[in-house]
Amino acid sequence: SASDSGPFDVSIEVSGNPRALQSAIDHTANNGRIIVGSWYGNSDVSLKLGIDFHRSHKTIQTSQVSTIPSSLAGLWSKERRFAMTWALVKAIRPSRLISKSLTLDDAQ
């Protein structure tokens, strides 16, 4: 439905595909946030960041999950972060949200 294609307050891009990042930008509401959780390595990425993007006041934020702020490091060990993550996965049960599966070759 039309409501399934945005605009979203927050979009999370984890594929590493520049087209997916552009889609996240395009489908995020004005003043919304785009979280980039994927890694593009040394690749150059071309995005459409013209006047519409600038007027939309969207924020693109990176997510680096291998380290955390030093102020939290004493409280959140790697083991505790993993345990919390798996507890959340079990509680949320994301597999119930999957409507279609593709092979990696088909996803490209």
Side-chain angles (χ1 to χ4, degrees):
S1 75
S3 63
D4 293 337
S5 61
F8 303 108
D9 294 337
V10 177
S11 296
I12 302 170
E13 194 288 298
V14 295
S15 73
N17 184 323
R19 292 180 305 187
L21 179 53
Q22 185 66 59
S23 181
I25 293 167
D26 294 344
H27 291 92
T28 300
N30 288 352
N31 299 298
R33 268 190 313 159
I34 300 97
I35 309 297
V36 181
S38 46
W39 185 59
Y40 290 86
N42 293 326
S43 301
D44 290 335
V45 175
S46 178
L47 298 171
K48 297 176 185 171
L49 301 178
I51 194 165
D52 290 337
F53 172 77
H54 285 277
R55 288 185 174 171
S56 71
H57 300 278
K58 297 174 187 178
T59 301
I60 299 175
Q61 180 177 346
T62 61
S63 173
Q64 171 47 276
V65 297
S66 63
T67 60
I68 60 173
S70 60
S71 61
L72 298 174
L75 297 172
W76 287 93
S77 66
K78 186 173 185 177
E79 293 77 19
R80 185 178 180 201
R81 294 192 320 262
F82 272 94
M84 175 60 77
T85 300
W86 284 116
L88 289 170
V89 167
K90 288 177 185 176
I92 295 169
R93 295 186 357 238
S95 61
R96 66 186 171 82
L97 304 172
I98 297 171
S99 59
K100 184 175 183 179
S101 296
L102 302 171
T103 66
L104 285 177
D105 290 334
D106 290 338
Q108 299 296 321

